[in-house]
């Protein structure tokens, strides 16, 4: 949705928004990196934990790059919707893969439903 909206509506605003996003949210994203790195190194060990934290950092910082690239694509391809949708889908798949590797998309354990005579 971000790629389509920033590529179609106003590419000039997309460039400005990408710069502001990167400048304003970078300190928070780096703070998240530090806390997640410590948590993940305790859980997975140093090598795997730091690798997952670095991938999460790169994907979160690449949000500004996604917005900037979608503005470029929208401006130079005369707002071609299929290209913008493919670009956004590719980024979403990479982001989902990184989150899955980081084990942040945990599925809750299934609880068995017990039917009691009082519930019927």
């Amino acid at each position: 949705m971000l790629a389509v909206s920033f590529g179609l509506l106003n590419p000039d605003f997309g460039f400005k928004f990408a710069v502001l996003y990167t400048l304003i949210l970078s300190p928070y994203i780096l703070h998240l990196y530090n806390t997640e790195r410590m948590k993940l190194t305790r859980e997975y060990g140093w090598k795997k934990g730091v690798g997952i934290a670095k991938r999460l950092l790169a994907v979160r910082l690449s949000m500004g790059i996604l917005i900037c690239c979608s503005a470029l694509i929208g401006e130079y391809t005369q707002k071609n919707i299929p290209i913008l949708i493919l670009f956004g889908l590719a980024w979403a798949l990479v982001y989902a893969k990184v989150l899955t590797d980081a084990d942040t998309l945990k599925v809750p354990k299934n609880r068995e439903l017990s039917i009691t005579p009082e519930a019927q």
Side-chain angles (χ1 to χ4, degrees):
M1 289 304 299
L2 284 175
V4 173
S5 61
F6 283 110
L8 288 179
L9 297 178
N10 192 353
D12 294 332
F13 175 73
F15 288 120
K16 294 173 187 172
F17 183 80
V19 171
L20 285 175
Y21 173 87
T22 306
L23 290 176
I24 292 171
L25 286 182
S26 289
Y28 178 69
I29 291 172
L30 290 173
H31 172 70
L32 276 178
Y33 167 72
N34 285 331
T35 56
E36 286 176 338
R37 181 178 47 92
M38 289 187 296
K39 182 185 121 189
L40 290 170
T41 52
R42 275 188 247 123
E43 190 173 333
Y44 294 113
W46 184 80
K47 187 174 183 179
K48 187 174 182 180
V50 170
I52 292 171
K54 284 181 182 176
R55 286 193 296 268
L56 283 171
L57 173 70
V59 168
R60 287 179 181 143
L61 284 176
S62 70
M63 180 72 78
I65 296 169
L66 166 81
I67 295 169
C68 186
C69 289
S70 63
L72 277 173
I73 290 171
E75 187 171 325
Y76 289 114
T77 62
Q78 286 75 35
K79 301 179 180 179
N80 192 346
I81 294 174
I83 291 174
L84 288 167
I85 290 173
L86 286 174
F87 179 69
L89 181 65
W91 186 87
L93 289 174
V94 169
Y95 190 71
K97 172 67 173 138
V98 170
L99 288 179
T100 304
D101 287 348
D103 208 19
T104 56
L105 299 175
K106 293 183 180 177
V107 177
K109 294 181 181 177
N110 292 332
R111 295 184 184 174
E112 291 184 29
L113 297 174
S114 62
I115 300 175
T116 59
E118 294 85 28
Q120 293 179 348

